[in-house]
Amino acid sequence: MLVPVPEEYGYVGEFKNGLAIRNRGIDLDFMARVVDKPENFSWTTNVNLNINRNEVTALPNKLNQLVIGDRLLEVGKAGDAFWLYQNEGIFKSDAEVPVSGGVKLNFDGIPFQYGDPRWRDQNNDSQITELDKIVIGNALPKVFGGFNNRFSYKNIDLSIDLYFALGQKAINERAANKYNFINNESNNSISSIREIFHWQQDVDISKYPLYNVWSSINPYRVDQDLFLEDASFLKIRGVTLGYSLTKATFLERVKTLRRAYIYATVNNLYTFSKFSGRDPELVNFNGYYDGYGMPLTPTYTLGFKLDL
């Protein structure tokens, strides 16, 4: 990991070994025949649950805390937690900006003004710095797994496969970049190029306050809980409906026939989630959603199986 060094060295930092993370969890798998009457109706269900917890156990140079980008790693704490400013709305006038001891609330020396975001001053020192960030939410789900069911009635069968992830959070970086166009487009990098689909409305504008985008505070910075969302979801991964034609009268002449089966399948049918992005499964491993992942679109299949 990149560990800071004194500025007098002339370097940003030095790469050091020493990061250690412990993962512990439980995997559970249950299967049951809820109803078992082959001639009439049968129902088989399967549930698998996966629970995992991670903990930072050591940092380079025996440090207790280390800032890596927008993450604060701390010994004894989870390594997938977000480190964010706590957003409390917007300053609707200059008079609403608090003043303490003649010092106006400021962000690293820049005074807040009308149209700027309200970030909580956690230590009440009249200035917003990294010391006011809080550790909140986790990028990894607390519980994830599947719930699969198969129903059959005479020659008809129905399979429903569900996949879920609960207790995970995500940063909607796509929304942050959409609003923060002033700062993004002034950068000398490939990310400053305006996209050909920038005109598309893929962000829920009703969720976010209208800050002064020209403010030096950088009001739409991504490292605030304004863009932190619940990314838990339940997805209908697949549904298959089939019908056995093995005993059909028009196939009785085929003496070598062992099985004939026709089916229809749909994958990625629907996702139940509060997440405002296209799909919570497109959130990257760091817990950020940038909107560029390939969509998991529904696919439909018709098939016919014939065993001779």
Side-chain angles (χ1 to χ4, degrees), residues 1 5 31-32 71 90 108 114 141 149 161 220 228 261 281:
M1 305 188 68
V5 297
M31 187 182 71
R71 279 293 205 297
I90 184 173
D108 284 338
Y114 160 72
N149 293 274
D161 297 331
Y220 290 109
L228 184 67
Y261 182 75
E281 280 198 278

Side-chain angles (χ1 to χ4, degrees), residues 11-12 16 46 58 90 94 143 157 179 189 201 211 246 249:
Y11 300 98
V12 176
K16 301 278 290 186
N46 178 268
I90 184 173
D94 288 340
V143 180
D157 62 78
Y179 278 93
S189 67
Q201 188 55 264
Y211 296 128
T246 306
T249 55

Side-chain angles (χ1 to χ4, degrees), residues 174 178 185 193-202:
R174 174 65 178 167
K178 191 89 170 181
E185 293 181 6
I193 299 176
R194 181 172 294 182
E195 305 151 335
I196 60 173
F197 50 86
H198 75 277
W199 53 270
Q200 294 178 342
Q201 188 55 264
D202 57 348

Side-chain angles (χ1 to χ4, degrees), residues 58-69:
L59 291 170
N61 289 355
K62 298 182 178 180
L63 294 172
N64 186 59
Q65 291 184 341
L66 184 61
V67 176
I68 302 296

Side-chain angles (χ1 to χ4, degrees), residues 170-182 184 195 200-209 211 213 219-224 226-229 275-278 288-292:
I171 293 290
N172 195 332
E173 187 178 16
R174 174 65 178 167
N177 291 337
K178 191 89 170 181
Y179 278 93
N180 200 26
F181 62 92
I182 294 298
N184 292 337
E195 305 151 335
Q200 294 178 342
Q201 188 55 264
D202 57 348
V203 174
D204 184 2
I205 60 176
S206 65
K207 288 174 59 69
Y208 308 104
Y211 296 128
V213 294
Y220 290 109
R221 59 189 305 132
V222 72
D223 56 337
Q224 57 178 312
L226 177 67
F227 299 107
L228 184 67
E229 297 188 32
F275 184 64
S276 65
R278 284 187 299 179
Y288 284 74
Y289 171 76
D290 58 15
Y292 293 120

Side-chain angles (χ1 to χ4, degrees), residues 35-50:
V35 180
D36 191 7
K37 297 180 180 179
E39 298 300 324
N40 295 304
F41 176 75
S42 64
W43 173 18
T44 302
T45 186
N46 178 268
V47 180
N48 63 84
L49 300 174
N50 304 274

Side-chain angles (χ1 to χ4, degrees), residues 233 235 268 271 275-283 289 295-296:
F233 66 88
K235 175 166 289 190
N268 298 315
T271 302
F275 184 64
S276 65
R278 284 187 299 179
D279 192 327
E281 280 198 278
L282 298 180
V283 175
Y289 171 76
L296 303 175

